[in-house]
Amino acid sequence: MRDSSGLLYKIRHGLDTQVSLARLRRHRTLADAAAGRTVLITGASSGIGRAAALRLGAAGATVLLVARRADELDSAVAEIEARGGRAVAYPCDLNDFDALDAMAAKVLADHGRVDILVNNAGRSIRRRLDESYDRFHDYERTMRLNYFAAVRLILAFAPAMRAHGDGQIINILSLANLYGGPGYAAYVASKAALDSLATNLQAETHTENLRFTAIYLPLVRTDMITANPVYQRATANALTAEEGGDIICDAIIDRPRRLAPVLGRIAALVDSVLPERADAIRHARFIGGM
């Protein structure tokens, strides 16, 4: 029987997966979707990446874990194997493109192809415009990891997916991509670039059974938020890492094009119809959070 994690998220955040309520009674399980398949997850040493890896390993997937911290990756691999799963660690700093390319080549040499790529690793920076005039490197850093690293992985693994006639690329984005994130311009812009890329690539590969899935996550209680006092004030309403991992697994089961809370979709609609009003709302929220 399918677990209730997806339903819990729907109740808490009004998630709309663009399907009927029949999906909540689906018979397809994570094992049906993942068993025997190779899943690569970036940012897998902790947080939602690790949580998703544990579930996928238990469901019969071969899980490839990518992150900088080799000791934490080894710990995750040991935990997956202790539960009867199969996992392999690929320590890599995705900011180093030479190292990234070498890692991708080794993955393909070891496994032949990746069936499901989860672009989960990311960097978040909160810095206002008036604090950013001499910090162009903030925009370079977020684009390098959040966008360019993900692009390199897509370009590395998409050819085998297309040749095989099956594959899924999951991009972990932010709810702020739907309603705006003033103060987080560098971060949100980098995620928006990845979202736009996937929209265009999905149109190109529409008939090839290659699915690009965008997950617009709200705040999740992970290491990324520990240094940010604004995030800390909002943790009461944040998802746990396990809930975030469950959402990734739901996306693998259902293969939706987009996965986002209803309120985020409404905000995006308001923005497209009444942009001045949406800007005013965002500004008020920004001022209130300073």
Side-chain angles (χ1 to χ4, degrees):
M1 181 179 297
R2 177 183 177 273
D3 64 80
S4 62
S5 60
L7 179 59
L8 172 64
Y9 185 67
K10 289 173 186 291
I11 293 172
R12 288 181 56 184
H13 298 277
L15 194 67
D16 174 13
T17 58
Q18 296 180 308
V19 295
S20 69
L21 291 176
R23 174 161 289 170
L24 299 178
R25 300 187 296 272
R26 68 191 173 198
H27 299 292
R28 180 174 160 92
T29 67
L30 184 59
D32 294 330
R37 310 192 80 194
T38 300
V39 184
L40 187 146
I41 305 175
T42 66
S45 60
S46 62
I48 66 174
R50 181 175 179 136
L54 293 176
R55 279 200 63 200
L56 286 161
T62 296
V63 190
L64 313 182
L65 297 88
V66 177
R68 290 177 300 170
R69 296 172 290 196
D71 55 341
E72 293 188 25
L73 287 182
D74 290 340
S75 172
V77 167
E79 187 171 355
I80 291 170
E81 292 179 340
R83 299 181 182 188
R86 181 167 185 262
V88 184
Y90 288 89
C92 181
D93 181 355
L94 297 177
N95 293 289
D96 181 340
F97 291 163
D98 289 338
L100 184 159
D101 292 343
M103 178 273 294
K106 181 169 176 49
V107 165
L108 291 173
D110 291 347
H111 303 277
R113 70 173 186 272
V114 169
D115 298 300
I116 301 169
L117 167 64
V118 182
N119 285 315
N120 169 64
R123 177 193 299 276
S124 176
I125 295 176
R126 183 178 190 271
R127 192 160 284 119
R128 304 189 311 264
L129 175 61
D130 60 350
E131 299 171 327
S132 303
Y133 297 146
D134 60 350
R135 295 187 64 90
F136 177 73
H137 62 280
D138 284 347
Y139 296 84
E140 291 181 307
R141 288 190 298 161
T142 50
M143 287 295 289
R144 188 171 186 85
L145 180 59
N146 298 351
Y147 179 63
F148 287 120
V151 171
R152 292 182 88 95
L153 291 174
I154 292 170
L155 296 178
F157 299 129
M161 292 182 183
R162 299 180 76 185
H164 185 64
D166 185 32
Q168 184 178 18
I169 295 169
I170 299 174
N171 294 322
I172 305 302
L173 307 175
S174 171
L175 188 55
N177 289 118
L178 299 179
Y179 64 65
Y184 298 87
Y187 170 68
V188 176
S190 66
K191 291 291 189 178
L194 185 57
D195 196 15
S196 181
L197 173 82
T199 296
N200 288 279
L201 296 184
Q202 184 68 91
E204 292 185 27
T205 60
H206 182 66
T207 61
E208 299 181 21
N209 199 33
L210 174 60
R211 171 64 79 181
F212 288 84
T213 295
I215 301 179
Y216 303 90
L217 279 183
L219 189 64
V220 182
R221 291 196 290 274
T222 65
D223 292 343
M224 185 183 289
I225 72 172
T226 56
N228 191 321
V230 174
Y231 280 160
Q232 288 294 310
R233 292 195 295 270
T235 53
N237 295 317
L239 297 178
T240 65
E242 289 71 26
E243 288 171 329
D246 288 343
I247 294 163
I248 292 175
C249 292
D250 282 349
I252 290 173
I253 296 171
D254 296 328
R255 289 168 58 96
R257 176 64 183 85
R258 294 186 174 90
L259 200 54
V262 171
L263 289 179
R265 294 177 183 274
I266 293 174
L269 178 61
V270 171
D271 198 4
S272 65
V273 177
L274 299 169
E276 293 85 359
R277 177 57 178 161
D279 287 340
I281 293 172
R282 281 189 286 262
H283 177 71
R285 180 162 52 84
F286 170 63
I287 297 300
M290 291 180 62

